[in-house]
Amino acid sequence: MIRFENVAMRYDGGPEILRDVSFELEPGSLTFLTGPSGAGKTTLLKLVFLSERPVRGAISMFGKDVARLRRGELPALRRQIGVVFQDFRLLDHLTAFENVALPLRIQGMPERAYREDVEEILNWVGLGERMHARPATLSGGEKQRIAIARAVVARPPVLVADEPTGSIDPEMGARLMRLFVELNKLGTTVLIATHDRSLVDNAKARELRLFAGRISQAGGSRWS
Amino acid sequence: MELNEAARPARPTPLFPRRGGGEGALFGVMAIMSFLACLTLALALGAARLAETWERGLTGQATVQILETPGIALEVQVTAALEVLNATPGIASARVMSAAESAELLKPWLGDADLSAVPVPALIAVTLDPARPLDADALRARLSAAAPGASFDDHSRWNAGLTAASSAIGWGAYAILALIALAASASVVFAARAALQAHRDVVDVLHMTGARAAFIAREVQWRFFMLGGWAGLAGLAGAAALAGAALLAADGPEAAFLPMLAPPWRDLVWLAAVPAAAAAIAMTTARLAVSGFLARTA
């Protein structure tokens, strides 16, 4: 589904942040990306959700070579990937409902076509009563759940989350993790970047360890 | 849940926040541009109407002047000229002006001088038939044959000068309108780019969630369409207020000499096009600017 082969990445001629990174995400898999701060986890995720392009190596997504993609093809591919950003990236002037509905709205759907779906997913993340609140009035955990709901509302085959439990208490972290596991069981390929060891140990899933820009594996992986 | 429904926005919130994009300043600039465009357009239309009025007044009239010629009495020439004029197609009527009328016409130049010692030419006032074209050259030839001292003046010299002058005013006004449109477009380009820079976070999120450039451009262009339209209306209202004040100040027969102050209804239709043009310019330019911006940043 997503395959990295000897990928290297640097910003504007700076030092290489990633080097010779190779792995593959199989459909329906749950994978953790771990490593200390500054190891390159966020940069690797940016490559996965097509925010950046590598300086070397090959990335294949859904059978397409990313290097050969035209600009006009990017939106369709990005719609296949739900992203939960570390800093949530919610739009402060929109309500929780409107933030979650964003991926459907940009597909040109009218509100009456997606209202039920959005309300259902807000109930699923436990925020049905707060759907018309704006982000400024929500707690960190609530924002995180809105961000997750937005990432999955269009049912993308791949979900990528960057430190999804970084700014919330352990109890809420465990609750969010159960959401990811549930999504994974429904068939979504999930990649979670975290430095929270307890999350990884409890989930007993495959782990990609990133250290100083290089990757290693744990948990019986299928990376090459 | 009832409270929840009460909190639901009546319509989807625009994806780009209303504040922080410098749109207030653009509204002011566009309103001023529209105000100036209304005044310039009124000038162009007024100049065209003035020229039309002059032309209508002058082309309906002509004059035959008969000078004394040695060997032929003036009265004989006048009679012969009248016969030619009355027999010419395109002439509705011809009337010999009295000595008193001729003296009245010369008064501005000669004052109250005694004209009995001066050879004053005879004048025939000719009214043209607007329904039938006149062959002026053929008429001149026949008049010369019948009355050697006669000359026919259909005022075309004046017409040409006035038409050229009003045409120059009209084209000048249209050139100013084009410059105003260009300046408005440039302002919109800067404002659209500034708005996208100010809301870069929104653009990034839209990109990451798979929005196409055309979708983002559409979101922005409608904002500028509405802004341009309202600014245009504000400019039009300002121009209307100024015209109203000028009409009140020039209340009287003098206003007839200032046709741009009393526009007819058909001109008001053209002025109403200014807000529509402002909206169209704002929308089109914003779309082009946003598309260019996104092509560099996507």
Side-chain angles (χ1 to χ4, degrees):
Chain A
M1 186 167 252
I2 295 177
R3 186 183 177 88
F4 276 51
E5 286 180 81
N6 301 316
V7 167
M9 177 65 192
R10 65 156 66 97
Y11 292 104
D12 296 330
E16 281 194 348
I17 293 169
L18 298 175
R19 61 186 73 118
D20 295 328
V21 170
S22 299
F23 68 90
E24 185 170 358
L25 297 182
E26 298 287 348
S29 60
L30 171 62
T31 308
F32 285 98
L33 178 64
T34 62
S37 293
K41 297 192 295 293
T42 298
T43 298
L44 193 149
L45 291 190
K46 281 183 176 176
L47 292 172
V48 172
F49 59 73
L50 300 167
S51 176
E52 299 287 349
R53 299 214 183 192
V55 293
R56 206 171 56 242
I59 300 175
S60 162
M61 305 187 76
F62 308 102
K64 290 186 175 177
D65 181 355
V66 168
R68 291 173 188 273
L69 283 177
R70 283 178 286 116
R71 190 189 301 275
E73 293 178 287
L74 286 175
L77 215 56
R78 282 177 178 148
R79 290 178 190 184
Q80 307 287 309
I81 305 163
V83 185
V84 182
F85 297 98
Q86 188 173 6
D87 53 357
F88 319 131
R89 303 261 190 114
L90 300 179
L91 301 184
D92 288 337
H93 64 294
L94 301 186
T95 64
F97 176 93
E98 289 171 327
N99 267 290
V100 172
L102 194 59
L104 303 173
R105 187 168 165 185
I106 64 166
Q107 289 178 26
M109 290 171 69
E111 188 184 324
R112 64 177 182 282
Y114 58 69
R115 184 180 295 172
E116 274 186 30
D117 284 351
V118 173
E119 287 178 355
E120 186 183 323
I121 208 154
L122 277 163
N123 285 324
W124 182 65
V125 296
L127 288 171
E129 296 298 315
R130 308 227 51 198
M131 67 173 72
H132 302 308
R134 293 181 201 277
T137 65
L138 299 174
S139 69
E142 287 173 327
K143 287 180 189 171
Q144 190 66 281
R145 281 181 281 160
I146 296 293
I148 292 169
R150 181 181 66 186
V152 301
V153 71
R155 297 166 206 249
V158 176
L159 177 66
V160 176
D162 191 5
E163 300 284 2
T165 59
S167 56
I168 52 179
D169 58 68
E171 190 186 338
M172 181 58 72
R175 199 170 148 190
L176 288 181
M177 197 54 223
R178 281 198 292 277
L179 283 179
F180 288 125
V181 170
E182 200 175 327
L183 279 168
N184 178 243
K185 283 179 180 164
L186 291 169
T188 306
T189 304
V190 180
L191 174 63
I192 301 170
T194 183
H195 62 265
D196 185 346
R197 282 290 345 149
S198 64
L199 277 187
V200 184
D201 295 341
N202 290 338
K204 296 187 179 68
R206 178 188 174 212
E207 181 183 353
L208 299 176
R209 285 183 190 149
L210 201 53
F211 186 79
R214 290 182 185 277
I215 213 161
S216 63
Q217 63 163 328
S221 82
R222 290 162 287 205
W223 65 286
S224 54
Chain B
M1 216 53 184
E2 199 175 316
L3 273 177
N4 240 344
E5 285 312 303
R8 180 193 292 278
R11 62 184 68 176
T13 311
L15 293 180
F16 287 91
R18 293 213 177 276
R19 291 180 182 176
E23 290 178 19
L26 179 66
F27 181 89
V29 170
M30 289 291 283
I32 292 168
M33 298 275 189
S34 301
F35 173 75
L36 295 176
C38 285
L39 295 188
T40 311
L41 189 57
L43 173 70
L45 294 169
R49 204 167 51 252
L50 193 58
E52 197 182 308
T53 309
W54 286 335
E55 199 165 335
R56 211 179 315 122
L58 291 178
T59 51
Q61 299 292 326
T63 310
V64 173
Q65 178 181 268
I66 302 167
L67 297 170
E68 285 201 41
T69 310
I72 310 174
L74 190 60
E75 292 73 17
V76 174
Q77 288 199 74
V78 169
T79 308
L82 272 176
E83 281 176 11
V84 169
L85 289 169
N86 287 329
T88 302
I91 290 180
S93 67
R95 180 180 66 82
V96 181
M97 294 174 75
S98 67
E101 283 177 289
S102 297
E104 193 65 26
L105 286 173
L106 291 171
K107 203 172 177 180
W109 284 272
L110 301 179
D112 291 325
D114 180 11
L115 296 176
S116 59
V118 182
V120 177
L123 294 174
I124 301 175
V126 178
T127 303
L128 303 178
D129 182 355
R132 300 172 73 184
L134 172 72
D135 184 347
D137 290 337
L139 175 62
R140 281 193 184 96
R142 284 200 303 280
L143 276 176
S144 298
S151 62
F152 178 74
D153 180 6
D154 60 0
H155 306 157
S156 54
R157 282 182 301 132
W158 293 100
N159 272 343
L162 289 173
T163 305
S166 62
S167 174
I169 292 173
W171 283 112
Y174 289 126
I176 293 170
L177 276 178
L179 286 176
I180 290 173
L182 202 64
S185 299
S187 306
V188 172
V189 168
F190 287 123
R193 285 187 189 154
L196 286 181
Q197 282 293 0
H199 302 307
R200 190 62 198 260
D201 53 335
V202 179
V203 176
D204 285 345
V205 169
L206 292 175
H207 271 148
M208 286 302 102
T209 41
R212 296 184 194 283
F215 174 87
I216 300 174
R218 224 167 22 243
E219 280 287 320
V220 176
Q221 77 182 16
W222 285 115
R223 287 282 290 279
F224 280 85
F225 176 82
M226 297 303 291
L227 185 146
W230 283 114
L233 283 173
L236 178 61
L242 182 69
L247 269 178
L248 284 177
D251 187 20
E254 303 86 359
F257 294 101
L258 299 168
M260 39 288 265
L261 289 182
W265 287 106
R266 64 184 168 141
D267 283 10
L268 293 179
V269 172
W270 285 111
L271 291 180
V274 168
I281 287 172
M283 183 180 83
T284 312
T285 315
R287 184 178 181 95
L288 292 174
V290 171
S291 298
F293 181 91
L294 295 176
R296 291 190 298 275
T297 58

